[in-house]
Amino acid sequence: MSVPAPDGARTGRGRRRAAGLGGALLALSLSLAGCSSDGGSGNGNGAGARGSAAGATPSSGRAPTVAPDAYRRALGSALRPLNNALRAVDGAQEGRALDAALDAAGTRAEVAANALDTTRTPDDATARNGQLAGALRVLGRDLKGARGGGGRCATSPRVELSTAQGPRSVREAGRALTALGYDATLRLPRTEQAQYRRLANGTFLRDGSRGGLGRLTINNGTSTDAVVTLTRGGRTAFSVYVRKDAHTTIRSVNSGTYTVYFTTGEDWNGKKSSFTRGCRFEKFDDEADFRTVRVAGGTQYTVLTFTLNKVLGGNATTSEVPPGEFPS
């Protein structure tokens, strides 16, 4: 005779079966979750991990770097026209030809700087590329500013460039890029060192006929050499060189009224009859009047002294003269 199982026993077996079913459902749920791609909370992480393992490349958030060879080509394209223009400067004769070449090269330097500003660079060249672009702009201004203009008191453009900042900055920036493997060599134009040409104190640059008794002493207490020129009737009577902190005396000055001009500066250029640096052109407002008269017992004649620097008690005033009006 069978005895029904106690309720508790039946309940226990039912719980074990339920537990087993629950385990099966849980396992099924996990299996389905592993195959799910619905992006739900928890499930999406599992799918994402397997997707990454399959070969997807995560983004770094940065644009791909420029290939060095591509930058080298862009750099060469930007600098090549400038190099050609600089060669033209190097070979030009001083004067109009050199001024035109300097102006053209200055424009090319500015164009090259603009091109480099928009050129994509490898990471290791970015800073030096910007440095070169800035240096090229300075070079462009220096090249255009070095133009001689052909007038008096004009320093040679090659002397101007020898002390300019642009060529030095370009050379430094170019070397830095070249050291990184990006050839930025530029053929900068040749320069010349400043000259200090002088004449001996008392040297006559021009000397007309002198047969009078007048005497003129010139004191130059300025910090630069000077050339003093006396004209009469629009013509140059004589012109004499007086070094700084020196004086000279011209004898046998003919009677007459003279206008006294003087120019001061450094580096006397005989071809242009002018100093090339720091020059000024002036004249005395009062004319020099030389007279020779016979008097009882002899002859009286004029003795004058002109001082180019300001002195205490001096009574002579001066005015500036346009360079083109200064007598040669």
Side-chain angles (χ1 to χ4, degrees):
M1 177 178 178
S2 63
V3 179
D7 292 340
R10 285 197 300 270
T11 301
R13 285 194 300 273
R15 287 175 180 172
R16 284 195 296 271
R17 286 195 300 271
L21 181 59
L25 290 174
L26 180 59
L28 179 61
S29 174
L30 287 174
S31 176
L32 290 174
C35 295
S36 173
S37 60
D38 61 2
S41 176
N43 298 339
N45 291 337
R50 278 189 297 276
S52 177
T57 303
S59 174
S60 65
R62 298 176 59 186
T65 187
V66 176
D69 284 344
Y71 173 62
R72 291 187 185 98
R73 288 192 295 271
L75 183 62
S77 178
L79 298 183
R80 196 171 300 111
L82 173 58
N83 248 332
N84 293 335
L86 291 174
R87 288 191 182 93
V89 171
D90 205 36
Q93 295 295 320
E94 189 162 332
R96 291 182 179 180
L98 179 55
D99 287 347
L102 287 166
D103 193 59
T107 299
R108 286 293 186 184
E110 294 166 356
V111 171
N114 293 336
L116 291 183
D117 278 341
T118 58
T119 297
R120 296 178 62 198
T121 64
D123 293 342
D124 63 342
T126 300
R128 297 305 186 185
N129 182 81
Q131 180 186 0
L132 180 58
L136 288 173
R137 286 194 173 85
V138 177
L139 176 65
R141 292 194 294 268
D142 287 344
L143 289 169
K144 292 183 176 182
R147 296 179 54 179
R152 282 177 142 180
C153 198
T155 302
S156 165
R158 300 195 189 280
V159 173
E160 289 280 5
L161 288 175
S162 70
T163 58
Q165 179 63 39
R168 292 198 298 271
S169 297
V170 166
R171 189 177 293 109
E172 178 182 347
R175 286 173 178 170
L177 263 177
T178 302
L180 294 174
Y182 309 107
D183 186 13
T185 305
L186 284 169
R187 179 177 175 175
L188 296 171
R190 59 188 173 87
T191 60
E192 297 173 358
Q193 295 301 310
Q195 299 185 68
Y196 293 88
R197 292 166 289 185
R198 306 174 75 189
L199 300 179
N201 188 61
T203 299
F204 280 96
L205 283 78
R206 293 187 63 178
D207 189 14
S209 174
R210 289 182 291 116
L213 296 177
R215 189 165 68 217
L216 172 64
T217 297
I218 301 167
N219 294 323
N220 180 11
T222 70
S223 60
T224 56
D225 291 357
V227 170
V228 179
T229 301
L230 271 67
T231 65
R232 184 175 63 172
R235 292 186 176 183
T236 297
F238 57 86
S239 184
V240 63
Y241 195 97
V242 189
R243 288 194 172 193
K244 64 180 181 179
D245 295 323
H247 70 276
T248 191
T249 298
I250 299 96
R251 303 179 185 276
S252 305
V253 179
N254 294 329
S255 295
T257 300
Y258 297 82
T259 301
V260 182
Y261 294 87
F262 65 98
T263 177
T264 56
E266 292 182 345
D267 183 38
W268 179 255
N269 185 335
K271 292 182 179 180
K272 292 186 176 182
S273 297
S274 173
F275 294 102
T276 66
R277 293 188 302 278
C279 53
R280 294 174 60 88
F281 300 92
E282 300 179 72
K283 72 174 183 176
F284 283 95
D285 295 327
D286 294 331
E287 295 179 320
D289 193 13
F290 288 89
R291 291 289 179 263
T292 301
V293 296
R294 294 187 179 277
V295 296
T299 303
Q300 289 183 341
Y301 55 88
T302 304
V303 176
L304 293 178
T305 298
F306 280 89
T307 301
L308 304 185
N309 53 295
K310 293 182 179 180
V311 294
L312 185 63
N315 58 2
T317 59
T318 62
S319 300
E320 290 191 13
V321 176
E325 295 180 14
F326 192 89
S328 299

